[in-house]
Amino acid sequence: MHEEIFLPSTYATGVPYDAFAGLRAESPVARVPEPAVGPWPAGPGYWAVFRHADVKHVLRSPDLFSSNLGATQIRDPDTPEDLAFVRAMMLNQDPPDHSRLRRIVAAAFTPRAVRALEETIEHRARTLVTSALGTETDFVELAADLPVWTLAHIMGVPDSDRRLLYDWASRVIGYQDDEYAGISTADAASMTPMARKAMNYRPTTTTHPDGRPINPRSYTALADMFAYAHALADEKRSSPSDDIMSRMLEGGLTTHEFENMFFLFAVAGNETLRNGIPGGLLTLLEHPADLARLAADPSLLPSAVEEMLRYWPPVMDFRRTATRPVTLSGQKIDAGDKVVVYHASANRDETVFPSPNRFDITRTPNDHVSFGFGPHFCLGAHLARTQMRAIFRELLPHRITLTGTPVRLASNFQNGLKHLPVHLAPTP
């Protein structure tokens, strides 16, 4: 029962919003099994949380629902060593350790640095859209360049190496999808010597000797990325530059903390926009009256972006682990149980959002949870919104036509598109 909520294949055809609505009404905290998927073994199952108020309660209560005990993915890490590794990441920590790392990151985003980023993001968005005018393009590929370019700028990654950020994120967020699992698009010939050396550490297999799949978030699966992170940290320590990663190192990050922060930026900082921008455009194309209204009145763009994020949440769920016995919406949960909050369901909760299945670019208030809530509210939310506003501001003056069938990512975590073929006709 309810296993369709877990299966990645469910999401390859669309988010099961009707099922979520029924569960919010009848079983707001429901037991969901984890059947085997391909080579991935079955798991013990988890409690799924569907109502907006309950999702917020879980996310703001790390004393009851820990990010650290079992990390934040539905699937358990394969080994105690894998668990210890991912628990060191800021995303998978609880206060006070999480709070210390968050302060270091926040301090690196000085007002001057943020202003400079906003200007470069606007310029990059204009360049990307202009380059595609008059052509048919896969908008997923075009849109992916903006967060990758922005992250490379933030992290001080040389331009010739930035495509590696795309590949690493694809391997992690798309491991349940055959097309993304082994992706490799970076051009080795143009990389820096530092990057070519790191690529020697890239795993040559995705399975253990006994045939079990290697966890894509483990140190083993991302050995090349962490080799690169170490080399980059050494370079920045010897020759600091005016980028945010250099400032974080100066702020007290250890080398181990730096490599984990590199993972967080390269993957978590990438996936939201890679999903949110194409998902936002497809939503507008499916609602042509709203697209026309927005094009006629770009002042609606801030509220439209919030509605895109609500309607097409880039990340559909996150996991916590109960620290002690607790009752949530009448359901008893034992200490150690997995608890998975569904942002995609909370964003359609009819008790919070009138006509929740209606796309409304003027919706206000819009209390969506696409960036999370509580101590782990997304540090990059401001930059994500900036990037979305920048690229849609450039798109709106032009005529955009869907020229093929969108193809969704098979993932029970990321609400993603793999392909979105469109034609961008320049303004006459």
Side-chain angles (χ1 to χ4, degrees), residues 103-256:
R103 283 193 297 270
I104 291 173
V105 177
F109 282 88
T110 64
R112 183 175 67 86
V114 171
R115 283 194 300 271
L117 277 172
E118 289 175 350
E119 292 174 3
T120 56
I121 286 167
E122 290 172 3
H123 181 267
R124 186 64 182 177
R126 187 174 307 116
T127 299
L128 286 172
V129 172
T130 300
S131 70
L133 291 178
T135 68
E136 182 172 331
T137 186
D138 187 338
F139 188 74
V140 171
E141 178 69 19
L142 183 141
D145 185 84
L146 184 59
V148 168
W149 185 91
T150 302
L151 287 166
H153 194 77
I154 288 171
M155 299 161 75
V157 170
D159 190 64
S160 59
D161 296 346
R162 65 183 168 87
R163 193 68 185 182
L164 289 169
L165 301 177
Y166 175 91
D167 289 349
W168 289 324
S170 297
R171 282 158 52 187
V172 172
I173 69 175
Y175 78 94
Q176 296 170 324
D177 189 290
D178 291 341
E179 183 178 343
Y180 269 35
I183 203 165
S184 180
T185 65
D187 178 15
S190 64
M191 293 178 191
T192 62
M194 172 176 65
R196 287 196 293 272
K197 184 176 180 180
M199 290 309 98
N200 292 330
Y201 293 89
R202 179 170 182 176
T204 57
T205 179
T206 58
T207 60
H208 293 286
D210 62 2
R212 291 181 300 111
I214 297 172
N215 190 315
R217 291 175 177 260
S218 66
Y219 201 99
T220 299
L222 290 167
D224 51 334
M225 187 187 79
F226 290 112
Y228 187 90
H230 275 284
L232 188 66
D234 290 343
E235 183 178 276
K236 291 185 181 301
R237 284 199 171 97
S238 61
S239 302
S241 55
D242 188 27
D243 60 69
I244 287 170
M245 277 296 189
S246 292
R247 285 194 287 275
M248 278 194 272
L249 284 167
E250 292 167 358
L253 284 185
T254 66
T255 298
H256 183 55

Side-chain angles (χ1 to χ4, degrees), residues 147-383:
V148 168
W149 185 91
T150 302
L151 287 166
H153 194 77
I154 288 171
M155 299 161 75
V157 170
D159 190 64
S160 59
D161 296 346
R162 65 183 168 87
R163 193 68 185 182
L164 289 169
L165 301 177
Y166 175 91
D167 289 349
W168 289 324
S170 297
R171 282 158 52 187
V172 172
I173 69 175
Y175 78 94
Q176 296 170 324
D177 189 290
D178 291 341
E179 183 178 343
Y180 269 35
I183 203 165
S184 180
T185 65
D187 178 15
S190 64
M191 293 178 191
T192 62
M194 172 176 65
R196 287 196 293 272
K197 184 176 180 180
M199 290 309 98
N200 292 330
Y201 293 89
R202 179 170 182 176
T204 57
T205 179
T206 58
T207 60
H208 293 286
D210 62 2
R212 291 181 300 111
I214 297 172
N215 190 315
R217 291 175 177 260
S218 66
Y219 201 99
T220 299
L222 290 167
D224 51 334
M225 187 187 79
F226 290 112
Y228 187 90
H230 275 284
L232 188 66
D234 290 343
E235 183 178 276
K236 291 185 181 301
R237 284 199 171 97
S238 61
S239 302
S241 55
D242 188 27
D243 60 69
I244 287 170
M245 277 296 189
S246 292
R247 285 194 287 275
M248 278 194 272
L249 284 167
E250 292 167 358
L253 284 185
T254 66
T255 298
H256 183 55
E257 289 170 341
F258 178 86
E259 69 180 13
N260 283 323
M261 200 63 69
F262 189 95
F263 174 99
L264 185 64
F265 275 69
V267 178
N270 196 332
E271 61 196 15
T272 301
L273 273 300
R274 279 182 61 180
N275 298 327
I277 294 174
L281 180 60
L282 179 58
T283 301
L284 286 171
L285 291 172
E286 291 175 339
H287 298 82
D290 293 275
L291 176 56
R293 183 180 182 187
L294 185 58
D297 185 3
S299 70
L300 296 174
L301 192 52
S303 64
V305 164
E306 296 307 310
E307 182 68 345
M308 291 179 212
L309 288 164
R310 182 194 73 87
Y311 199 85
W312 187 290
V315 176
M316 292 181 290
D317 55 70
F318 258 113
R319 177 246 181 112
R320 298 292 189 264
T321 302
T323 62
R324 57 179 182 264
V326 64
T327 299
L328 186 65
S329 279
Q331 179 62 60
K332 293 181 179 180
I333 297 171
D334 291 332
D337 283 357
K338 299 186 201 182
V339 178
V340 178
V341 296
Y342 277 83
H343 306 266
S345 175
N347 281 357
R348 301 285 181 107
D349 191 327
E350 43 284 298
T351 67
V352 177
F353 305 98
S355 303
N357 294 320
R358 180 168 61 89
F359 181 67
D360 179 4
I361 61 173
T362 64
R363 185 182 294 274
T364 184
N366 195 337
D367 190 22
H368 67 76
V369 290
S370 292
F371 289 123
F373 188 71
H376 280 277
F377 181 81
C378 179
L379 266 172
H382 174 74
L383 281 179

